[in-house]
Amino acid sequence: MTAYSKGLEGVVAAETKMSFIDGEKGVLEYVGIPIGDLAKNSTFEETVFLLWNGRLPKAAELAAFTAEIRKHYELPAGMEQRLLALPRDAKPMHMIRTMVSALSMHDQNPDANDAPSLRERAISILGRVPTLLAYFHRYRSGMPLVRPDTSLSIAENFLYMLNAARPTATMAKAMDVCLVLHADHGLNNSTFSARSVISTQSDMYSAITAAIGSLKGPLHGGANEGVMVMLNEIPSVEAAEKYVLDKLSRKDKIMGFGHRIYKSYDPRATHLKVLAKQLASDTGNMALYEKSTAIEKTMETAVAAKGIYPNVDFYSATTYHCIGLPLDLFTPVFVIARVGGWAGHVIEQMGDNRLYRPDVLYKGPHNAPYVPMAQR
Ligand code: ACO
C-alpha cells in the first residue's frame, strides 16, 4: 500500500487535457491558454467548446455548438410541474441537485455512456441548469416565470429569465466572465466526485448530481455565500480589521481565503478583483469593495506567510452582489459554470476509464468477541 495522505493531498488520481494549475506561480490555463486571455477574449460557450474538444472552435463550429445548447434552454415536458411542486423555501443548491437528478427521468436513455451520448446529455444539462435556477427563484418569489430567449447567450439569458429584463451589456459581459473563470479547475473535490461516480459506469446525471452535492460545501463552492455573509456582518470598512483578527484568534477560517493548490494569489481572484471594483463603482457599492480590500489587507499581514491568499470565491461575492444576484444563488451560479468542467471530465474519464477505488487504513480492533445482546 502507498503512503496515506489525509485529504488525498499530493495524490495524482487522473490525467486531464483540460486545465493546468501551477499553485506556486499562480497560473491557470485551459487547454494551455492563460485564464486571463480567455476572460478577456472568449465567451462561456466558446470556453466549454475548448474544454470539451481540446481546441478553439471555428466560427461555424461555435455557432452550431451554441445553437445546440440553446435548443435545451426549455425544460422537458413535466419538469416545470415538478419544479412548481417544490417547497418555496427550499435552498437553491438542494433544489438544483435534486432537479438535475430528476432530469434523468425525462430522458429516454439516461444511462447511455458512449461519447456522443455523454455529450448530448452534457449539452442538455448545460442548457437547462440556468432555466431551473431562474424558474425556481421566480416561483419562490411569487413572480411569473420568464421563458428562455434562445437568441441570448447562457449568461444573458440567465439574467433575463431571473429579472424579466435584458441585462445591460456590462452586466452580461461580467456574468459571462464569471462563468469563464469558474468553468474548470483540475481535480477539485466536486470534479473528483463526478469522475469517481462515472468511473463505476453510472451515468452523466448521477455524476453531475454528486458534483453539485460536493460543490455546495462551505470549504468548496459554498464559500462564496460565506464571504457575502461575512461582508454583511462587518458594519463598516473600519471594522473589518478587528473582525478578521478576532476570527483568526478563535482559529476560525475566513471564507474566500486559502486553497489546497494555490500558495500564491489565485489568478481567478486577480481578474475578479478588477471586475468587482469596476462593478462596485458602477452600482454604488464601493463600500462593499473597500470592506473586501480591508479584509484582504488584514489577511495579508496576518497569514500570507502561510500561503493564504484570496481564492476564486472572495471577489466573486462582491461581483455577484453588484450583478444583482440574491445571496443564495451565488453557489448555484457556480454550478452553471462548472457543469462545463464536470461534464468534460466525465467524458474524459470514460475515454480511458478505470474504477476509482482507493484503500483505507483500518484503525479498529481485530478478533473482537460478539457479545450477546443481554450481556452488553
Ligand atoms: N482562514 C484562516 N486560516 C486558514 C484559511 C482561511 N481561510 N485557510 C487555511 N488556513 C490555515 C489553517 O487554519 C491551517 O493553519 P495551521 O497550519 O496553523 O493549523 C493552514 O492554513 C492549512 O489549512 P488547511 O485547512 O489544512 O488547508 P487545506 O488545504 O486542507 O484547505 C481550504 C484548503 C479548505 C480551501 C481552506 O483554505 C479553507 O477552509 N478556506 C476557507 C473556505 C474557502 O474559501 N473555500 C473555497 C476554496 S476555492 C473553491 O473550492 C472553489
Side-chain angles (χ1 to χ4, degrees), residues 321-343:
H321 178 82
C322 294
I323 290 175
L325 297 177
L327 198 164
D328 62 0
L329 290 192
F330 288 11
T331 314
V333 162
F334 199 155
V335 174
I336 300 178
R338 193 53 66 84
V339 166
W342 294 328

Side-chain angles (χ1 to χ4, degrees), residues 6-7 9 182 185 188-189 215 217-224 227 248 251-263 266 268 299 303 306-309 311-314 334 338:
K6 193 172 181 185
E9 182 164 8
H182 285 80
H185 205 242
N188 58 84
N189 191 291
L215 189 79
L219 296 188
H220 192 11
N224 59 13
V227 172
L248 290 178
K251 296 253 168 233
D252 285 353
K253 293 249 178 97
I254 304 296
M255 291 292 112
F257 283 82
H259 200 277
R260 176 63 63 78
I261 305 289
Y262 292 117
K263 298 305 166 200
D266 181 332
R268 301 167 297 177
M299 286 296 277
V303 291
K306 282 200 210 172
I308 300 168
Y309 292 90
N311 59 48
V312 69
D313 289 319
F314 190 61
F334 199 155
R338 193 53 66 84

Side-chain angles (χ1 to χ4, degrees), residues 52-67:
W52 292 4
N53 295 280
R55 63 176 175 82
L56 290 169
K58 293 188 191 301
E61 289 174 322
L62 181 59
F65 184 62
T66 301

